[in-house]
Amino acid sequence: MSTDITELLAQAGPLLTGALTTYGTAVLTRAENAALDAAADATADSGRRFLQRVWRRGDAARRAELETAVEAADEDPDAVAAALRLHLRRALAEDAELRRELAELLAARPAPSITITAHGERSIAAYSIGTAITGGGHRTDS
């Protein structure tokens, strides 16, 4: 199994979950609509585009398999996630061009914005923090 495929699937996981949650079974067939897509979460829209590319490239049997997995999303999300991973892993292993397209799609996503805010006396805020000590009476020379 290619590390590239494993990496692609790891990166795509949250996108696929977002797409299924937002679009449900229409995720595969929903046409792009600029007004609706602008309102949709960027993660969900990227996941929709990811799944649609896989769906369009598949033969009739592969499309039916993917449709079945997506239709079960409401019933058992864990089983759907496993079925989607299996389907995507096979599709990516068989189609180098699809791997390239999906890697480009993932790379083109905008970086998520992060807002960090702290309010109040002695409050702190950080993206990542090891040890934080606020207030009086703390010794760090022990």
Side-chain angles (χ1 to χ4, degrees), residues 20 24-30 51-52 54-75 80 83-84 87-88 90:
L20 290 171
T25 57
V27 71
L28 298 176
T29 57
R30 186 180 168 285
L51 281 171
Q52 284 184 347
V54 173
W55 186 70
R56 286 184 191 126
R57 303 271 302 231
D59 60 14
R62 291 290 169 106
R63 281 184 174 201
E65 181 183 317
L66 186 54
E67 288 169 4
T68 299
V70 168
E71 287 170 358
D74 291 335
E75 298 167 21
V80 169
L84 278 176
H87 180 86
L88 295 173
R90 278 195 313 243

Side-chain angles (χ1 to χ4, degrees), residues 6-136:
T6 303
E7 207 170 291
L8 274 173
L9 291 174
Q11 291 176 22
L15 303 178
L16 302 176
T17 301
L20 290 171
T21 302
T22 302
Y23 299 112
T25 57
V27 71
L28 298 176
T29 57
R30 186 180 168 285
E32 287 195 36
N33 178 315
L36 292 176
D37 290 341
D41 178 89
T43 299
D45 190 53
S46 293
R48 178 188 57 80
R49 287 185 283 134
F50 190 102
L51 281 171
Q52 284 184 347
R53 285 186 185 184
V54 173
W55 186 70
R56 286 184 191 126
R57 303 271 302 231
D59 60 14
R62 291 290 169 106
R63 281 184 174 201
E65 181 183 317
L66 186 54
E67 288 169 4
T68 299
V70 168
E71 287 170 358
D74 291 335
E75 298 167 21
D76 189 351
D78 293 333
V80 169
L84 278 176
R85 277 192 306 273
L86 180 62
H87 180 86
L88 295 173
R89 193 174 300 272
R90 278 195 313 243
L92 292 169
E94 294 171 1
D95 190 340
E97 180 65 20
L98 179 61
R99 277 195 311 274
R100 186 194 59 75
E101 281 182 33
L102 296 179
E104 287 176 3
L105 176 69
L106 290 172
R109 286 181 316 164
S113 63
I114 299 172
T115 303
I116 301 169
T117 307
H119 295 283
E121 185 180 336
R122 296 182 180 164
S123 62
I124 60 172
Y127 177 74
S128 176
I129 194 163
T131 302
I133 301 173
T134 63

